[in-house]
Amino acid sequence: MRRRTYVLAIDQGTTSTRAIVFDPQGRPVAGAQRELRQIYPADGWVEHDPEGIWSDTVSACRDAIARARLTADHIAAIGITNQRETTVLWDRQTGRALHYAIVWQDRRAAAFCRELVTAGHEPAVQTRTGLVIDAYFSASKLTWLLDNVPDARRRAEAGELAFGTVDSFLLWRLTGGRVHATDATNASRTMLFNIRTQAWDDDLLALFRIPRAILPEVHDNAHAFGTTDKILFGAAIPITGMAGDQQAATFGQACFKPGMIKSTYGTGCFALLNIGDKPKTSKHRLLTTTAYRLNGKPTYAIEGAIFSAGATIQWLRDGLKIIKNAAESETLARSVEDSAGVYLVPAFTGLGAPHWDPEARGTILGLTRDSTSAHIARAALEAVAFQTRDLMEAMAADGGAKARELRVDGGMVANDWLCQMLADMLDTPVERPKVIETTALGAAYLAGLTAGVYPSVDAVAEAWQRDRLFEPSMPAATRSRLYEGWQKAVKRARGVR
């Protein structure tokens, strides 16, 4: 029998599904990707077809293995990472979802969340979960499904249904319905999980009217979750790692020491600051979350979440049609000296941290007859840097020390102009790793640790390699002027004069 030394990572994201094969040194060997259809049934509503996610996952995995010129017998383990908070409710007998998945960006439960805040529940919820009450998280989405899908609540209470984020749904399908489980990082994003006790919380279940019978078991991130059905890939493969996408990226970036910070630029932007083994509640509307849990011991992070980063560039392509691909945004940004006073606030589904304003909407300010598509494209990229600074300012206000450097990853950081703008706006060196798809890499490392492909966390840290360092070079006065303009633009997007 062939010796299994490779790891297959499934990276099921908001706009696409990837599968990447990694070798024993953590180097990507081959991969495949499928773009995911976005469904917008109403203003502020976003959905995905779970069957599309499933079929894309299986075909991408098969393609990645084939392109690596391997078979399933070469694969030691599978790691799963996923878009967090996206909510799926399915039938335990058939495995079929009762409704399209409600995506993390979806705002349909915003009014319900406002009612909970008005009723005074937010302090207790934040203390237990580390989260602010917002429609972003899974609990209110699940409440909506149980209340609006015919017969769903009765069936849920009878134990006929299963709930999970995308990781749980894929695990269920991959194992032929034998395993209903999740990991501590995904659980910590549901608003039903107590991050201090590391367990589902009965009081939160009562608040959101969620039957315990539909919940998955919660395990460490590096754990023997189960094995795939042999029919899927030609041989059974152990599934031994799982983490929400931002926590997987934190692991892939080897941010293992308190004070280390990474920021991932995909559909949204998510910055996580390692704060060690004690949770700390943010006083500036950031989130406290489980960064990873190994051997039953959690490590925590403070997180800032921005809803639109790469999604803004996708809008330039698909909505405004001023670019044909993401790379053109960099070309346009470089073609002008500045944005000529144009600011773009990409609040397409509201604003995330630190504002948490679901009513804010996308806004372009400062347009004149001289404004061009280049100015708008540059303003879109600048908005990513401005929003990142919003997060860093909030982290500093919470008592966090200024980061010595920021590790960045995700598809957007292939853009050199954006990386330099981040360094300039943050006045902080920005490090880009050699493997920018660190979300998938983190999932591979977690799976490989369990399977014995990667020997230790220390070995993961030693394997991290920098591709390029971007040093800040913008004059302080320019930095301050641009950021002040951004803050005024955000107030306009929020309807504040």
Side-chain angles (χ1 to χ4, degrees):
M1 181 177 175
R2 299 182 181 94
R3 182 167 178 264
R4 295 187 173 199
T5 57
Y6 294 85
V7 178
L8 175 64
I10 296 170
D11 180 2
Q12 202 300 298
T14 309
T15 57
S16 71
T17 302
R18 291 184 179 89
I20 302 175
V21 176
F22 290 91
D23 70 11
Q25 287 72 48
R27 297 174 300 205
V29 177
Q33 183 174 358
R34 303 286 187 274
E35 190 160 333
L36 181 59
R37 178 171 67 102
Q38 308 297 305
I39 303 167
Y40 303 104
D43 179 35
W45 293 27
V46 191
E47 297 177 347
H48 289 159
D49 179 4
E51 294 304 319
I53 290 174
W54 168 243
S55 61
D56 286 352
T57 298
V58 173
S59 64
C61 287
R62 289 171 176 167
D63 281 0
I65 294 170
R67 289 174 184 176
R69 298 184 178 181
L70 302 172
T71 69
D73 286 330
H74 293 98
I75 308 300
I78 290 176
I80 300 173
T81 184
N82 57 288
Q83 50 170 314
R84 304 170 304 171
E85 300 95 16
T86 294
T87 302
V88 189
L89 186 66
W90 68 91
D91 186 306
R92 286 183 180 271
Q93 291 298 316
T94 67
R96 303 283 299 189
L98 274 67
H99 188 278
Y100 280 153
I102 301 180
V103 178
W104 58 272
Q105 299 159 310
D106 189 281
R107 311 305 300 170
R108 74 187 66 188
F112 173 49
C113 290
R114 282 196 297 273
E115 291 174 7
L116 294 177
V117 172
T118 301
H121 293 294
E122 187 162 69
V125 169
Q126 187 174 22
T127 297
R128 295 174 189 226
T129 68
L131 311 176
V132 298
I133 293 180
D134 191 83
Y136 171 32
F137 305 106
S138 308
S140 60
K141 302 178 194 298
L142 181 54
T143 300
W144 187 94
L145 286 170
L146 293 175
D147 287 345
N148 288 276
V149 174
D151 208 28
R153 184 167 291 282
R154 181 197 66 79
R155 296 189 64 202
E157 290 171 351
E160 297 175 11
L161 306 181
F163 149 74
T165 41
V166 173
D167 59 303
S168 293
F169 178 70
L170 289 179
L171 180 65
W172 176 281
R173 285 289 185 91
L174 288 165
T175 61
R178 295 187 301 274
V179 182
H180 185 208
T182 188
D183 68 89
T185 65
N186 275 299
S188 74
R189 310 298 294 191
T190 61
M191 212 184 295
L192 301 171
F193 187 75
N194 190 319
I195 62 170
R196 297 173 186 275
T197 64
Q198 291 288 301
W200 299 118
D201 190 290
D202 287 330
D203 290 338
L204 295 173
L205 294 176
L207 179 64
F208 288 96
R209 297 181 292 118
I210 306 299
R212 180 178 277 273
I214 67 175
L215 299 176
E217 290 186 49
V218 182
H219 298 296
D220 288 352
N221 296 101
H223 175 79
F225 287 91
T227 57
T228 65
D229 271 351
K230 180 179 178 180
I231 194 172
L232 292 174
F233 308 117
I237 305 173
I239 302 166
T240 58
M242 201 148 67
D245 52 8
Q246 301 313 315
Q247 286 94 337
T250 302
F251 205 86
Q253 286 276 40
C255 290
F256 300 138
K257 296 178 180 178
M260 295 185 73
I261 184 170
K262 73 88 201 175
S263 191
T264 299
Y265 297 89
T267 300
C269 163
F270 302 86
L272 270 74
L273 170 68
N274 185 321
I275 59 171
D277 60 2
K278 298 288 190 300
K280 175 184 176 183
T281 301
S282 170
K283 297 180 180 179
H284 294 86
R285 298 186 66 75
L286 298 176
L287 311 175
T288 307
T289 195
T290 304
Y292 51 87
R293 195 176 85 186
L294 301 175
N295 301 315
K297 298 179 180 178
T299 294
Y300 296 96
I302 292 289
E303 174 177 336
I306 294 166
F307 295 158
S308 293
T312 309
I313 307 307
Q314 190 177 48
W315 177 69
L316 296 183
R317 183 193 70 185
D318 300 339
L320 294 188
K321 301 186 186 303
I322 63 175
I323 58 173
K324 292 181 180 178
N325 54 61
E328 287 187 13
S329 64
E330 179 174 4
T331 303
L332 284 176
R334 290 185 183 279
S335 72
V336 289
E337 290 186 7
D338 53 40
S339 61
V342 175
Y343 285 88
L344 193 162
V345 183
F348 302 115
T349 54
L351 286 170
H355 312 289
W356 296 108
D357 186 346
E359 306 302 328
R361 282 297 176 264
T363 306
I364 302 178
L365 297 169
L367 293 174
T368 69
R369 285 293 299 272
D370 294 327
S371 300
T372 67
S373 58
H375 294 118
I376 294 173
R378 183 169 176 132
L381 290 173
E382 288 179 343
V384 175
F386 294 142
Q387 290 180 102
T388 304
R389 178 163 170 180
D390 286 345
L391 300 182
M392 298 303 166
E393 296 274 341
M395 287 180 177
D398 266 335
K402 180 179 171 62
R404 288 184 295 179
E405 64 274 327
L406 174 69
R407 291 185 172 183
V408 298
D409 56 83
M412 288 192 78
V413 304
N415 184 326
D416 287 352
W417 188 92
L418 173 62
C419 291
Q420 185 59 53
M421 182 63 185
L422 285 167
D424 287 339
M425 189 47 52
L426 302 176
D427 193 24
T428 300
V430 167
E431 291 187 302
R432 182 174 65 196
K434 286 191 173 181
V435 178
I436 64 172
E437 296 300 344
T438 50
T439 302
L441 179 60
Y445 278 146
L446 287 165
L449 284 172
T450 309
V453 176
Y454 308 118
S456 66
V457 170
D458 288 341
V460 171
E462 290 172 6
W464 187 91
Q465 291 182 299
R466 184 171 71 196
D467 169 60
R468 184 171 171 182
L469 178 68
F470 297 85
E471 296 274 11
S473 60
M474 180 180 286
T478 304
R479 182 185 305 115
S480 297
R481 175 177 56 80
L482 290 174
Y483 190 58
E484 286 173 9
W486 165 254
Q487 291 172 308
K488 292 177 182 177
V490 168
K491 288 182 178 179
R492 292 291 186 90
R494 301 183 65 190
V496 178
R497 290 286 180 177

